[in-house]
């Protein structure tokens, strides 16, 4: 996701909610002014999701990340909907978002598409087969 040691974060971060970052390294929580605390979880995506659900008190949990993060959660059957911000910028390489998803276990249903001049927002529902 990001390296807190390298991250420049606005003094009054707008999140004002706990954030759980999946990482390979064990780290202490990173508290920011304005009520946002980043908790670093190094024992898997399920644990991070469980902690976020517990902190969310029955509210929706949002998972942010790149293609690998979305792929991991979709493949594990842990999310019911996801959005992609698709922008026509090519950097020379990348992750094929749906590589490795078992189509015999997972079905994706387009929910909405919101195009603009610079980005298209795509939302899909995830259903078990």
């Amino acid at each position: 996701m990001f390296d807190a040691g390298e991250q420049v974060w606005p003094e009054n971060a707008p999140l004002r909610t706990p954030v759980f970052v999946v990482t390979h390294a064990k780290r202490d929580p990173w508290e920011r002014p304005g009520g946002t605390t980043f908790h670093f979880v190094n024992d898997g995506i399920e644990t991070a999701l469980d902690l976020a659900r517990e902190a969310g008190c029955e509210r929706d949990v949002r998972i942010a990340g790149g293609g690998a993060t979305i792929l991991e959660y979709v493949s594990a059957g842990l999310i019911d909907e996801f959005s992609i911000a698709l922008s026509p910028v090519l950097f020379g390489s990348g992750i094929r978002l749906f590589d490795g998803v078992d189509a015999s276990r997972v079905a994706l249903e387009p929910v909405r598409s919101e195009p603009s001049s610079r980005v298209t927002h795509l939302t899909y529902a995830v259903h078990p087969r």
Side-chain angles (χ1 to χ4, degrees), residues 100-128:
V101 174
D102 185 350
S104 69
R105 292 185 41 230
V106 176
L108 301 180
E109 173 191 357
V111 174
R112 75 185 147 271
S113 172
E114 300 171 24
S116 73
S117 63
R118 295 181 185 238
V119 65
T120 300
H121 298 276
L122 304 168
T123 302
Y124 293 90
V126 181
H127 302 289

Side-chain angles (χ1 to χ4, degrees), residues 8 10 14 18-19 23 26 34-35 39 47 53 65 75 88 103 106-107 118-119 121 123:
V8 176
V19 175
T23 182
K26 187 163 181 67
H39 302 273
T47 300
R53 284 179 173 153
S75 293
V106 176
R118 295 181 185 238
V119 65
H121 298 276
T123 302

Side-chain angles (χ1 to χ4, degrees), residues 15-81:
L15 300 173
R16 294 185 179 88
T17 186
V19 175
F20 299 90
V21 179
V22 177
T23 182
H24 295 290
K26 187 163 181 67
R27 306 179 92 136
D28 292 331
W30 186 41
E31 296 182 29
R32 303 302 303 147
T36 301
T37 300
F38 291 83
H39 302 273
F40 299 93
V41 181
N42 68 336
D43 55 349
I45 62 172
E46 294 89 354
T47 300
L49 184 57
D50 289 343
L51 291 168
R53 284 179 173 153
E54 184 179 315
C57 302
E58 304 295 319
R59 292 177 292 192
D60 287 343
V61 172
R62 296 187 62 97
I63 299 170
T69 302
I70 292 172
L71 177 61
E72 195 169 357
Y73 276 97
V74 168
S75 293
L78 295 173
I79 59 173
D80 55 9
E81 186 177 282

